[in-house]
Amino acid sequence: MAAADVTTKTTEPTLPRVPLLTTHSVERELTGWRAWVLTTDHKKIGIMYIVTALIFFVLGGTEALLIRLQLGAPDNTLLDPATYNAMFTMHGTTMVFLFVIPIMAGFGNYFAPLQIGARDMAFPKLNGLSYWFYVCGGVVFYSSLFFGAPEAAWTSYAPLSDDAYTPGFGTDAWIFLVHLTGISSLVGAINFVVTIANMRAPGMGWGRMPIFVWTILIYSVMLIVALPVIAVAATLLLTDRHFGTHFYDASAGGDPMLWQHLFWFFGHPEVYIMIIPGFGMISEVLPVFSRKPLFGYKAVAAATASIAFLGTLVWAHHMFTTPSPTAVLVFFMIGSFLIGIPTGVKLFNWIFTLYAGAIEFKTPLLFAVGFLSMFLIGGISGIILATFPIDWELHDSYFVVAHFHYVLVGGAMFSITSGLYYWYPKMTGRMMSESLGKWSFWFMFVGFNTTFLIQHSLGLDGMPRRIYEYGDIGHWGTYNLISTIGSFILAFGLLLSMINAYISLKRGPIAGPDPWRANTLEWFIPSPPPVNNFDVVPRVRSVEPLKDIRQEVAARSQTVEATPSATASA
Amino acid sequence: MPRKSLVARLRKGFIPLAAAASAPLFFAQNASANWISTEHGGSPNADAIHSLYLILMITGLVVFFLVEGLLVYTLWKFRAGRGHEAQQIHGNTKLEIGWTGGAAVLVIILAVVSFFKLGEIRDPPNSDASGYKTTTIAKDPGTNQKIPPDGKAMHIIITAFQYGWRFTYDDGDPSTPNVYAYRDLYAPTNTTVLLDITSQDVIHSWWVPQLGGKFDAVQGFHNWTWFKIPASKAGSVFRGQCAELCGRNHANMTLSVHALSPADFTKWLADKQAQLEQAKVEGAKQRAVVDAGETLK
């Protein structure tokens, strides 16, 4: 080989001595805080997204614990009604707009370009803009704490959210949050779509794209479809509140149902926007730790796309109790039932990815399996709630609260935690503690189920959601107490993971480029990756390029060992 | 692993699991506390929702135990370190079509069962002969109103507001004043009561768990539902409360439905009518005093 190289070099024609690259100036690399604030590097922006989202998560979690404390006993007086309403409004809004969507954007920012072999996002400056819009949205929203917090729930149903019933700064802060984080996500989503469509490594056709990239693409398309609608709805609410319009005011010819249709046209796709990147993470983690390819790659990608498509057509299943004709209810019930099919397909594909594998019970896998088992419960209760005659009984009760927490905590949260343990070595260059991770998993798993399984019973027993106090009715006191105890176990489990992430920054064992023997391109480069990501972008020949490279390396080194004389003679 | 043995293994594991999954069937039927099924017992629609819920929940539990069982079995059986290698299976089209079809069949069956039960839940039946005598109810076009086959029912207009309920007993006769009440709704047993729900401010939601589902009260809209309390429940009180966030005092926007025998209800209604008449007379007297330029004592 070496000899051959030398011969080609000597026969090469001499090139003209002109520089191939020109630059007008070389900027000094920024250091300190300016390296972060002014950065356009997708990896730094990704980390900032993740860290900021986790800060909001701690805030939202604290609000949740306050809610649970208030509900821990009948006729509790810990929080007054205004504070209680503010707490669940801020909890819901924070978790949706300031935690789940942005942290998915964070993971997408960091890993989508790496997985497709790109050197950055398509529009690095827009990427920075997108992050800072998100921060602004969060700051505006939380500043309302000092002026009067919003009290109309994360759904801000008109006319309750109108100035006649909820005056003050709170709901306006909510509206601005929707606008600012909306612009952030919209810009980010366009950036993702362009990046994924144009910047894939040579050989990476659509059919060889990692599933996580597929889910980020679908997440982005859904954001582009859904966000303008909520932006319009919130703008109409703003003009209703301050400029004398009556879009949602029935007493002046407006229509309160308009808000619900516009809100849920965004709000239901939103649910899938939050969970679909989680599906992607699970689809990355399961094959790696079972040492098997993903079972039915095409089916998983297609099922994700069809969930997204159907997910935009079922918004009114949040409105089964509104004055609507039966035909409408039937349409939205059937639509919601249909989503059960691709979801079931994915669940079986994931389980069969594990089947006949050699499963390594590392922390990312534990969280992924926890996701599978709990998302299943959320799916089943989802089918029950999609049956509108049953929804009439269970709508707006704690059964619904239990259902969507199984989907969003058991689903999105557990997949995020799985992704965090899986990708932490790549982002920091160090491993997180396995034993602390496993402790954290078991506390979270037990705590989560203690908190939310019993809430199904609370709903069945007739407890509506969003009430700040309740009398000593039925078993409400006991069930609520169990739930409150569970929430603290869950919080402790989460705390362990956060401590783990913090101490591993300095003390974790050095990870190396590919600690998990994974399959995708981000593991091809050092951990943490250099600014330009790839010195050489490998040609992609399958869904699992890194496995191909590993096998190729193994095959060649075997040849070298087996026939050293043959290589030498060549 | 050959495909056939894989399927056979699954089947072997599934049968005991399915047996285990049917155990809750017992549970559900004997459960008196409502920790596992919806509240019911006050009205046929609530009972029908309860039985539909049980069908879905038991189906759900069977699916849950099958899938969760398969997951746990897989995790245990294929854990690393047992001296086996992971099999590089990329998929299995037949199996995948199988579970897609299976899921589709299951949701179709559940949808059909639900529509089969829908009539019982949505459409009000006739009042019993022993019930309170009601008059023909007026059609409310453009709404989701359903009327009993004989067209007769008691008509109560529910107006929700921050934070309370007003119940107006519409007697269908514009010349006489309608009896009304706040917070406590008195209703005759064995009688179909149609509820015409609306709001005068923000959105509220009518929910008396034992009398059937909830229906939102929206300003500018009429939302219809019904209940029919059996004779055996005369004297019972059913607890209810607003189920849609309506402001700071949402938690205390409660109500009670008192079931009276038709005879007692007739008495209650007459008593209320008398009160109304008396108030009218008193009012007229006071107006006369004011009109004469004197002050009220």
Side-chain angles (χ1 to χ4, degrees):
Chain A
M1 287 286 269
D5 277 352
V6 173
T7 42
T8 40
K9 237 176 201 168
T10 48
T11 54
E12 224 170 66
T14 44
L15 292 165
R17 291 182 176 278
V18 291
L20 293 174
L21 288 168
T22 54
T23 179
H24 298 291
S25 64
V26 178
E27 282 175 29
R28 183 173 296 177
E29 211 173 298
L30 296 166
T31 53
W33 63 272
R34 290 171 73 218
W36 291 94
V37 172
L38 300 176
T39 188
T40 56
D41 176 12
H42 73 100
K43 297 182 291 297
K44 281 193 171 147
I45 292 173
I47 287 176
M48 290 199 293
Y49 259 117
I50 292 170
V51 171
T52 315
L54 287 175
I55 292 169
F56 283 120
F57 176 71
V58 170
L59 290 171
T62 311
E63 287 146 14
L65 290 179
L66 282 171
I67 291 170
R68 281 315 325 162
L69 275 180
Q70 165 67 14
L71 294 177
D75 300 313
N76 200 356
T77 52
L78 178 72
L79 302 180
D80 61 62
T83 314
Y84 183 83
N85 288 6
M87 285 301 116
F88 69 67
T89 301
M90 300 195 80
H91 167 71
T93 309
T94 302
M95 291 309 189
V96 171
F97 290 99
L98 299 174
F99 171 58
V100 181
I101 298 181
I103 204 167
M104 293 308 188
F107 280 108
N109 243 299
Y110 202 108
F111 292 103
L114 291 184
Q115 288 196 326
I116 61 172
R119 293 200 166 96
D120 203 327
M121 296 280 280
F123 308 114
K125 282 187 182 163
L126 275 187
N127 203 16
L129 180 80
S130 164
Y131 169 76
W132 289 106
F133 263 114
Y134 155 55
V135 173
C136 291
V139 169
V140 165
F141 184 65
Y142 268 87
S143 72
S144 71
L145 277 179
F146 304 104
F147 303 97
E151 291 175 36
W154 89 277
T155 51
S156 284
Y157 269 18
L160 178 64
S161 54
D162 216 338
D163 59 333
Y165 303 105
T166 312
F169 181 69
T171 304
D172 297 318
W174 183 88
I175 293 169
F176 292 132
L177 162 115
V178 168
H179 282 147
L180 290 168
T181 58
I183 295 170
S184 158
S185 297
L186 208 52
V187 171
I190 292 167
N191 211 343
F192 278 129
V193 172
V194 176
T195 306
I196 294 168
N198 295 306
M199 296 169 69
R200 299 196 302 280
M204 187 182 278
W206 292 105
R208 290 180 188 166
M209 220 161 71
I211 288 287
F212 179 69
V213 179
W214 266 112
T215 58
I216 287 293
L217 178 68
I218 292 165
Y219 152 98
S220 305
V221 172
M222 291 187 83
L223 280 170
I224 293 169
V225 170
L227 277 171
V229 180
I230 185 72
V232 167
T235 308
L236 298 186
L237 183 61
L238 189 72
T239 62
D240 265 16
R241 286 174 63 83
H242 296 291
F243 307 117
T245 59
H246 300 280
F247 291 107
Y248 305 123
D249 179 5
S251 64
D255 189 344
M257 299 280 286
L258 177 64
W259 172 265
Q260 294 192 27
H261 280 290
L262 292 177
F263 181 85
W264 287 118
F265 186 83
F266 149 81
H268 197 74
E270 176 79 354
V271 174
Y272 294 97
I273 288 166
M274 289 192 277
I275 193 72
I276 279 177
F279 291 168
M281 294 175 179
I282 298 306
S283 308
E284 296 295 329
V285 168
L286 292 177
V288 169
F289 294 94
S290 57
R291 304 276 152 237
K292 265 186 69 193
L294 184 66
F295 192 91
Y297 164 86
K298 281 183 186 163
V300 172
T304 311
S306 61
I307 289 173
F309 174 73
L310 292 170
T312 54
L313 296 178
V314 295
W315 73 91
H317 70 208
H318 297 267
M319 300 166 58
F320 282 157
T321 63
T322 58
S324 304
T326 307
V328 172
L329 306 186
V330 169
F331 174 84
F332 286 102
M333 166 178 159
I334 297 290
S336 312
F337 268 39
L338 289 180
I339 296 181
I341 300 170
T343 312
V345 167
K346 296 188 77 154
L347 213 56
F348 277 109
N349 274 302
W350 284 325
I351 293 176
F352 273 76
T353 301
L354 295 168
Y355 196 93
I359 303 163
E360 290 170 21
F361 285 90
K362 295 284 199 288
T363 313
L365 182 96
L366 279 183
F367 277 100
V369 168
F371 164 95
L372 292 184
S373 61
M374 288 180 295
F375 189 70
L376 172 65
I377 298 176
I380 291 171
S381 60
I383 290 286
I384 292 176
L385 286 172
T387 314
F388 67 86
I390 296 179
D391 185 71
W392 285 344
E393 183 70 32
L394 295 177
H395 186 76
D396 266 333
S397 76
Y398 262 83
F399 193 92
V400 173
V401 177
H403 159 71
F404 69 72
H405 280 94
Y406 264 90
V407 178
L408 290 178
V409 182
M413 250 286 303
F414 270 67
S415 59
I416 288 167
T417 320
S418 172
L420 189 71
Y421 275 91
Y422 177 59
W423 278 318
Y424 186 90
K426 182 50 60 183
M427 293 190 281
T428 63
R430 288 174 187 271
M431 309 293 291
M432 279 166 91
S433 155
E434 272 294 309
S435 59
L436 206 53
K438 282 177 180 157
W439 277 108
S440 167
F441 169 77
W442 286 110
F443 271 105
M444 278 172 71
F445 188 79
V446 171
F448 170 77
N449 284 297
T450 314
T451 310
F452 292 107
L453 195 61
I454 197 73
Q455 289 189 0
H456 292 104
S457 297
L458 259 179
L460 292 167
D461 209 14
M463 179 163 165
R465 59 194 286 209
R466 293 169 177 162
I467 56 173
Y468 79 97
E469 66 170 7
Y470 56 89
D472 199 359
I473 300 164
H475 303 287
W476 291 11
T478 323
Y479 293 169
N480 271 304
L481 183 62
I482 292 171
S483 184
T484 300
I485 292 168
S487 68
F488 280 86
I489 302 174
L490 173 60
F492 180 70
L494 279 160
L495 188 68
L496 287 183
S497 271
M498 291 195 177
I499 291 171
N500 195 353
Y502 183 74
I503 59 174
S504 301
L505 268 182
K506 290 270 152 58
R507 292 199 206 160
I510 301 293
D514 185 17
W516 307 121
R517 290 197 295 136
N519 305 327
T520 39
L521 282 183
E522 75 268 35
W523 305 102
F524 179 68
I525 50 178
S527 314
V531 177
N532 66 333
N533 297 349
F534 296 90
D535 290 334
V536 179
V537 182
R539 174 164 277 278
V540 174
R541 292 166 207 284
S542 77
V543 190
E544 300 172 316
L546 206 63
K547 193 186 266 180
D548 300 343
I549 292 171
R550 249 198 326 268
Q551 280 169 354
E552 186 69 26
V553 168
R556 285 195 190 181
S557 55
Q558 252 175 11
T559 338
V560 171
E561 278 166 31
T563 55
S565 56
T567 355
S569 67
Chain B
M1 190 187 304
R3 190 179 310 148
K4 220 169 196 177
S5 82
L6 189 146
V7 173
R9 274 174 188 218
L10 292 183
R11 200 177 291 146
K12 209 171 119 194
F14 275 4
I15 292 163
L17 274 166
S22 55
L25 235 162
F26 262 131
F27 232 143
Q29 279 173 347
N30 299 337
S32 54
N34 289 308
W35 65 278
I36 200 154
S37 67
T38 61
E39 288 203 44
H40 57 285
S43 177
N45 45 359
D47 297 346
I49 290 175
H50 175 249
S51 56
L52 180 58
Y53 173 82
L54 282 185
I55 294 169
L56 264 86
M57 190 203 58
I58 290 163
T59 315
L61 279 176
V62 172
V63 171
F64 172 78
F65 281 108
L66 289 180
V67 177
E68 212 83 14
L70 176 65
L71 178 63
V72 170
Y73 169 79
T74 304
L75 289 175
W76 171 79
K77 174 89 186 175
F78 299 104
R79 65 192 188 276
R82 295 174 75 242
H84 67 289
E85 280 213 9
Q87 295 177 36
Q88 300 305 305
I89 308 166
H90 285 269
N92 181 327
T93 311
K94 274 189 192 165
L95 213 54
E96 287 173 64
I97 291 175
W99 62 57
T100 311
V105 168
L106 190 64
V107 297
I108 289 169
I109 292 173
L110 291 178
V112 168
V113 170
S114 303
F115 293 132
F116 187 69
K117 276 277 189 189
L118 176 62
E120 230 181 301
I121 297 166
R122 184 194 57 177
D123 302 333
N126 288 335
S127 301
D128 293 356
S130 60
Y132 181 77
K133 293 288 163 282
T134 51
T135 50
T136 306
I137 200 148
K139 286 225 164 61
D140 188 3
T143 67
N144 58 356
Q145 184 198 37
K146 298 283 168 199
I147 291 175
D150 66 0
K152 287 182 181 173
M154 168 164 256
H155 178 201
I156 299 178
I157 301 162
I158 299 179
T159 313
F161 55 91
Q162 281 181 323
Y163 299 94
W165 307 89
R166 177 188 158 113
F167 308 111
T168 309
Y169 294 75
D170 182 11
D171 57 9
D173 180 359
S175 62
T176 57
N178 288 332
V179 168
Y180 61 89
Y182 288 93
R183 202 192 163 277
D184 291 283
L185 190 155
Y186 290 81
T189 56
N190 276 350
T191 310
T192 305
V193 179
L194 290 196
L195 305 173
D196 172 5
I197 303 160
T198 189
S199 166
Q200 68 181 45
D201 42 45
V202 302
I203 299 173
H204 305 272
S205 191
W206 159 267
W207 190 27
V208 183
Q210 287 176 301
L211 299 183
K214 56 183 77 62
F215 286 83
D216 291 353
V218 186
Q219 193 181 16
F221 289 86
H222 291 264
N223 206 358
W224 287 82
T225 186
W226 61 277
F227 62 76
K228 184 183 168 190
I229 302 168
S232 59
K233 295 283 177 180
S236 308
V237 180
F238 302 99
R239 175 190 62 79
Q241 79 185 91
C242 176
E244 180 68 63
L245 176 68
C246 58
R248 290 183 184 175
N249 210 19
H250 167 54
N252 294 313
M253 190 170 155
T254 55
L255 68 108
S256 297
V257 175
H258 303 255
L260 299 178
S261 67
D264 286 346
F265 180 76
T266 314
K267 226 182 285 169
W268 178 83
L269 200 65
D271 189 36
K272 278 278 173 189
Q273 266 158 348
Q275 283 177 15
L276 266 183
E277 278 306 316
Q278 199 190 348
K280 213 164 132 188
V281 172
E282 294 288 328
K285 264 190 210 161
Q286 291 179 349
R287 253 194 308 281
V289 173
V290 174
D291 288 347
E294 290 169 42
T295 49
L296 290 171
K297 280 175 196 128

